[in-house]
Amino acid sequence: QVQLVESGGGLVQPGGSLRLSCAASGFTFSRYHMRWFRQAPGKEREFVAFSSRSGTTNYADSMKGRFTISRDNTKNTVYLQMNSLKPEDTAVYYCNAFSPGEAYWGKGTLVTVSS
């Protein structure tokens, strides 16, 4: 059974940091590209960051320099390190695994940035 389980969300003050994790099971993790998305209240889901199977990364413009995606294929886990958080980063963060013809989603973890 394919599972993606996000963790690490919570309440953080503006300027703070969080590290999200997404643990994968039920498929060959190393063969899939991984992405993080987020969805703020009342808004559409948006792309955050991408890691290819080989570790090449890409980010949405508003996250460049603040967020870092990484993956550990030995632990079947992808991470999102988020620094210098802003109130507008408040959202549910989802991880996504994809390869040609297949895509899997986690259920998300809530990040709230507020003083």
Side-chain angles (χ1 to χ4, degrees):
Q1 180 182 1
V2 172
Q3 278 195 312
L4 292 172
V5 180
E6 301 95 336
S7 62
L11 175 64
V12 62
Q13 292 187 342
S17 298
L18 280 177
R19 189 176 84 151
L20 306 183
S21 300
C22 173
S25 60
F27 63 99
T28 306
F29 180 78
S30 60
R31 296 181 181 177
Y32 284 71
H33 306 300
M34 298 299 297
R35 295 180 292 191
W36 286 95
F37 286 78
R38 69 184 186 184
Q39 187 166 18
K43 296 188 176 181
E44 294 187 353
R45 192 171 296 190
E46 66 172 343
F47 167 76
V48 173
F50 162 83
S51 172
S52 73
R53 292 173 293 192
S54 62
T56 301
T57 60
N58 192 24
Y59 301 90
D61 286 344
S62 62
M63 287 68 159
K64 287 180 181 177
R66 299 191 301 126
F67 291 9
T68 303
I69 187 172
S70 61
R71 63 190 295 163
D72 186 339
N73 289 342
T74 66
K75 296 182 179 180
N76 292 348
T77 301
V78 62
Y79 304 97
L80 185 68
Q81 177 67 43
M82 305 186 296
N83 299 328
S84 302
L85 284 162
K86 307 173 183 179
E88 51 264 43
D89 294 318
T90 294
V92 177
Y93 285 72
Y94 299 89
C95 70
N96 163 253
F98 74 99
S99 67
E102 293 182 272
Y104 307 118
W105 290 89
K107 294 182 178 181
T109 185
L110 176 63
V111 172
T112 303
V113 185
S114 175
S115 55

